[in-house]
Amino acid sequence: MATADGNLTYLYYNVDEDTTGGSEAYGISEDGSTIIGFHFDAQWRTNACVWTENGTVRTDLPWPTQEQMGFPVEYVSARWVSSNGNVILGYAQDDNTGAWVAVTWSKVNGEWVVNPFCSNYYQPKYYSEEGELIIPGNNPYFDFEPVALSANGDWVSLNVLARHDPSDWDNIPLNQAARYNISTNTFQVVNFNEDYTELRMFGIADNGTAVGRLTGEMDFETWDQPVDAVVWASNGTSLHRINEMYADYKVGLYQSFPN
């Protein structure tokens, strides 16, 4: 963190005699007063936290519980923060499958409150000691990866994966774009039925408009593969390519060559 005089300072981190670890910072509020990230111990167990008062005060963010997430939480990280520093997006993770499952924190009456909003949609899964995949419920999405938080802290952009049998590698559906409104507790998944190989969402605006990248099907004769920017309008129910919205935009082609 750079202080007002331009000098680099260290964020607060306490280490006891028997513990080694470190910390990483990922986001900062518009006025620089709030920094978010995580600290970790010698076993790399992470804990999401906030630094304030010029980095000299560290506040650990509350953990979502196993009952809230559906799996034993081993790691928690904060990755995005709103402009005013009052909303944080991050994820909880377990050691068994390694899935990044989105959570948010909001400041309420000066205290941080965790919101594991994924619990109605994300389907936890785990492997038994014998290596058997256990799927204990019927929620619709097996991946629930956070990818962006709007500057005003109202919207979260996500990549999700529709329910399937994760052990069936011949029948895995593709990623889908999703967004969540924190204020209204509204979750939406985009409608997109064209053939593609990958869809990744990235940024999201204050009104909920989300942007990302769509990778089309490979032409195995020319080895050309279309790669398009896509937009999900705030009031829309489907994705649109940039070239559909702007007539002078030319579709990009990514060319690969077989070994």
Side-chain angles (χ1 to χ4, degrees):
M1 177 180 182
T3 58
D5 60 8
N7 293 322
L8 185 67
T9 61
Y10 288 101
L11 299 174
Y12 169 80
Y13 178 71
N14 63 324
V15 181
D16 62 38
E17 294 180 355
D18 300 319
T19 304
T20 59
S23 59
E24 295 186 21
Y26 273 87
I28 188 168
S29 61
E30 186 173 5
D31 65 1
S33 63
T34 302
I35 299 171
I36 60 95
F38 62 85
H39 61 89
F40 56 89
D41 61 20
Q43 286 72 46
W44 287 88
R45 178 181 168 93
T46 60
N47 194 77
C49 62
V50 175
W51 288 277
T52 54
E53 298 183 34
N54 203 30
T56 61
V57 175
R58 191 194 77 207
T59 303
D60 290 349
L61 294 170
W63 280 51
T65 65
Q66 179 173 346
E67 290 71 27
Q68 291 172 319
M69 301 302 296
F71 57 83
V73 178
E74 297 291 337
Y75 309 93
V76 182
S77 177
R79 293 297 180 98
W80 300 266
V81 62
S82 61
S83 294
N84 63 10
N86 289 333
V87 180
I88 296 170
L89 171 64
Y91 61 84
Q93 192 175 19
D94 73 293
D95 236 353
N96 191 278
T97 64
W100 292 19
V101 185
V103 296
T104 64
W105 293 267
S106 298
K107 187 174 285 188
V108 179
N109 298 323
E111 299 292 331
W112 289 105
V113 177
V114 64
N115 175 17
F117 64 93
C118 65
S119 59
N120 291 327
Y121 314 101
Y122 172 70
Q123 176 55 57
K125 54 191 181 297
Y126 63 94
Y127 290 95
S128 68
E129 293 183 358
E130 294 75 26
E132 180 185 3
L133 183 65
I134 307 298
I135 305 172
N138 296 303
N139 282 349
Y141 299 104
F142 276 119
D143 282 347
F144 216 80
E145 177 191 357
V147 294
L149 176 70
S150 63
N152 63 3
D154 282 347
W155 289 92
V156 173
S157 182
L158 304 135
N159 290 318
V160 300
L161 189 66
R163 183 181 176 86
H164 70 292
D165 179 353
S167 64
D168 182 2
W169 295 105
D170 295 324
N171 189 31
I172 297 179
L174 298 170
N175 284 337
Q176 295 176 300
R179 62 189 175 195
Y180 170 71
N181 185 281
I182 295 173
S183 300
T184 63
N185 192 31
T186 303
F187 178 70
Q188 301 171 315
V189 179
V190 74
N191 177 29
F192 195 76
N193 297 319
E194 296 182 30
D195 291 333
Y196 60 95
T197 61
E198 184 185 48
L199 172 63
R200 297 290 296 176
M201 299 308 290
F202 299 108
I204 191 163
D206 285 350
N207 67 353
T209 296
V211 296
R213 179 193 70 216
L214 180 73
T215 304
E217 295 284 349
M218 174 76 74
D219 183 334
F220 288 101
E221 292 184 1
T222 64
W223 293 99
D224 287 338
Q225 188 172 28
V227 180
D228 293 328
V230 290
V231 178
W232 183 7
S234 59
N235 59 351
T237 58
S238 61
L239 285 175
H240 294 280
R241 291 182 174 87
I242 288 289
N243 64 306
E244 296 172 346
M245 303 175 68
Y246 302 99
D248 58 349
Y249 175 83
K250 295 183 179 180
V251 176
L253 288 177
Y254 171 76
Q255 188 172 57
S256 60
F257 299 93
N259 293 328

